[in-house]
Amino acid sequence: MLKGKKIILGVTGSIAAYKAAILVRALVKEGAQVKVVMSALAKEFITPLTLATLSKNPILVDFFDPENGQWNSHVDLGLWADAYVIAPATANTIAKMANGIADNLLLTTYLSARCQVFVAPAMDLDMYGHRATQKNIETLKSFGNIIVEPGTGELASGLDGKGRMAEPEDIVESLRLFFQNKTPDSLLKNIKVLITAGPTYEAIDPVRFIGNHSSGKMGYALAEEAARRGALTTLVSGPSALELKSNSVQKIDVVSANDMFKSVEKHFEQSEVIILCAAVSDFTPEQAAKEKIKDKTKLVLELKPTTDIAFEMGKRKKENQLLIGFALETSNEISNAREKLKRKNFDFIVLNSLNDKGAGFKSETNKISIIGKDNNICNFELKTKELVASDILDKIEEVLKLQ
Ligand code: C5P
């Protein structure tokens, strides 16, 4: 939702300025371009170097660069941005904003900005509760600014109450919601999407199992992004330590390949888009021991194949359904993926290779290629799994548009 969005972050002099670093990182991770404007006092709380490094852009503080006299145009900056977030916003900056005072670059940019402004107040509880501050906040609301409400809890002063700056993830969520409401409806809106994720565990005895290194990150990122686009999303997840941020995804926890098969089978017919991202075990013990295996001299496990969920669903797929599979390969990547695409009747397959650095199990990033039914290959850069999820769903929307 924030991919490619241009965001100015205004940082003012509050102890909560340290959270600006986390906020910049989260925005960049979401694919946004970030430029940071700081008030002079903010520099006492967090160094410009930290925010410049994280935002990958120079920090702006003064009206002009004292070194070379170059003018920092607040007008250009205000026109550049899709959103202006002032976080943390002190009582002083809020008061100035409410009254049109323009004595630093952060404030002149505010007065010039044509984009949506978000304000995340941060101050002590009495300053926050003071009628002057409350009146100023009401004034900002009446100007159309969005106030990201502060939280209640322990404050830097040692007092307890309302005034803690909202957590960076809450600010990111406000931005997401804003852009979501502004962007035209996704083709996935109200479409039933079924996603499998994570590993499966095949019991050897009540204690041990056969599993694999899948963390579930890619499938969870797909489910979050599908839900954000308005899809009615069901996630069938093998054992994973991850938690979903979105509460609009229906999550079904399963353990074994057989549990996953039964759950997918149950939801398959009513689903319009099915993404099989799970690393399903190909074999399971012929018989799981009822008691913990004690004999430590020798153990021979008899394994039988599990049901290939993708292959079975490929056979049942109807005209109005899209089936997307994954391939994680270590050799002959493209020919193996093409063979799977055909055999399992996928509409396209997402290939990731264990030979690519930063791709595969447990990593935060992934590097994929998408192979279509027409055998065309589209290669993508190394990206966070959130951005990869967005690329995959863009591809699904592209296919839906052609139908
Ligand atoms: O054959 P391979 O396991 O590499 O195929 C990978 C694709 O098939 C993935 O989309 C995976 O989720 C799916 N699959 C499945 N059921 C299995 C094995 C794989 O759905 N038993």
Side-chain angles (χ1 to χ4, degrees), residues 196 276-278 280-282 306-310 325-326 340 344 346:
T196 66
L276 300 174
C277 186
V280 189
S281 174
D282 293 320
T306 55
T307 309
D308 188 326
I309 307 170
F326 275 69
K340 257 173 224 174
K344 305 198 184 195
F346 292 142

Side-chain angles (χ1 to χ4, degrees), residues 28-39:
V28 170
K29 203 170 159 203
E30 293 266 335
Q33 297 178 46
V34 183
K35 290 189 181 176
V36 180
V37 190
M38 296 174 90
S39 71

Side-chain angles (χ1 to χ4, degrees), residues 166-187:
E167 292 307 320
E169 64 258 34
D170 297 328
I171 299 174
V172 172
E173 192 54 30
S174 300
L175 281 160
R176 275 201 211 110
L177 275 176
F178 168 73
F179 286 115
Q180 187 172 327
N181 293 336
K182 266 188 58 165
T183 38
D185 275 357
S186 153
L187 283 176

Side-chain angles (χ1 to χ4, degrees), residues 1-281:
M1 203 44 75
L2 299 183
K3 198 164 125 189
K5 292 284 181 279
K6 300 188 190 92
I7 295 171
I8 313 173
L9 175 64
V11 183
T12 69
S14 149
I15 192 74
Y18 76 92
K19 289 188 189 172
I22 306 164
L23 180 56
V24 172
R25 217 168 150 256
L27 292 170
V28 170
K29 203 170 159 203
E30 293 266 335
Q33 297 178 46
V34 183
K35 290 189 181 176
V36 180
V37 190
M38 296 174 90
S39 71
L41 192 59
K43 291 198 295 179
E44 304 293 329
F45 290 91
I46 183 161
T47 74
L49 182 63
T50 306
L51 297 177
T53 310
L54 292 172
S55 67
K56 303 185 179 87
N57 273 314
I59 300 306
L60 305 161
V61 179
D62 300 312
F63 290 113
F64 59 89
D65 186 333
E67 297 276 294
N68 57 18
Q70 193 185 320
W71 181 246
N72 288 325
S73 169
H74 54 274
V75 177
D76 288 350
L77 199 57
L79 293 178
W80 170 82
D82 296 314
Y84 187 9
V85 183
I86 301 175
T90 57
N92 181 46
T93 292
I94 290 173
K96 289 180 178 179
M97 287 166 74
N99 290 284
I101 294 172
D103 61 359
N104 63 32
L105 186 67
L106 187 146
L107 291 162
T108 48
T109 305
Y110 167 66
L111 289 177
S112 313
R114 292 197 188 159
C115 60
Q116 179 63 54
V117 177
F118 294 76
V119 182
M123 64 202 76
D124 212 45
L125 80 160
D126 295 312
M127 289 175 84
Y128 181 72
H130 197 283
R131 273 186 298 166
T133 307
Q134 286 304 315
K135 190 168 154 249
N136 290 332
I137 289 177
E138 282 314 310
T139 306
L140 291 188
K141 281 188 194 163
S142 73
F143 295 161
N145 299 322
I146 294 175
I147 308 295
V148 189
E149 288 284 319
T152 303
E154 198 188 321
L155 300 162
S157 61
L159 297 174
D160 224 281
K162 192 166 179 179
R164 286 163 63 102
M165 187 179 96
E167 292 307 320
E169 64 258 34
D170 297 328
I171 299 174
V172 172
E173 192 54 30
S174 300
L175 281 160
R176 275 201 211 110
L177 275 176
F178 168 73
F179 286 115
Q180 187 172 327
N181 293 336
K182 266 188 58 165
T183 38
D185 275 357
S186 153
L187 283 176
L188 286 166
K189 190 164 182 191
N190 293 330
I191 291 278
K192 295 194 182 83
V193 175
L194 176 66
I195 299 168
T196 66
T200 62
Y201 286 179
E202 310 303 318
I204 296 172
D205 68 16
V207 182
R208 292 117 172 170
F209 59 83
I210 300 172
N212 59 63
H213 293 298
S214 170
S215 62
K217 275 185 194 142
M218 194 60 247
Y220 277 58
L222 279 163
E224 305 265 13
E225 183 60 24
R228 203 168 291 138
R229 294 181 188 210
L232 307 169
T233 312
T234 304
L235 175 70
V236 179
S237 171
S240 165
L242 299 177
E243 274 179 36
L244 282 168
K245 284 175 233 140
S246 157
N247 47 21
S248 51
V249 175
Q250 186 202 359
K251 184 174 161 229
I252 301 162
D253 290 311
V254 296
V255 177
S256 67
N258 193 39
D259 296 341
M260 187 172 275
F261 172 59
K262 282 198 242 157
S263 182
V264 170
E265 195 177 35
K266 191 168 145 205
H267 292 88
F268 184 76
E269 213 168 306
Q270 75 224 36
S271 302
E272 292 150 283
V273 174
I274 304 99
I275 312 173
L276 300 174
C277 186
V280 189
S281 174

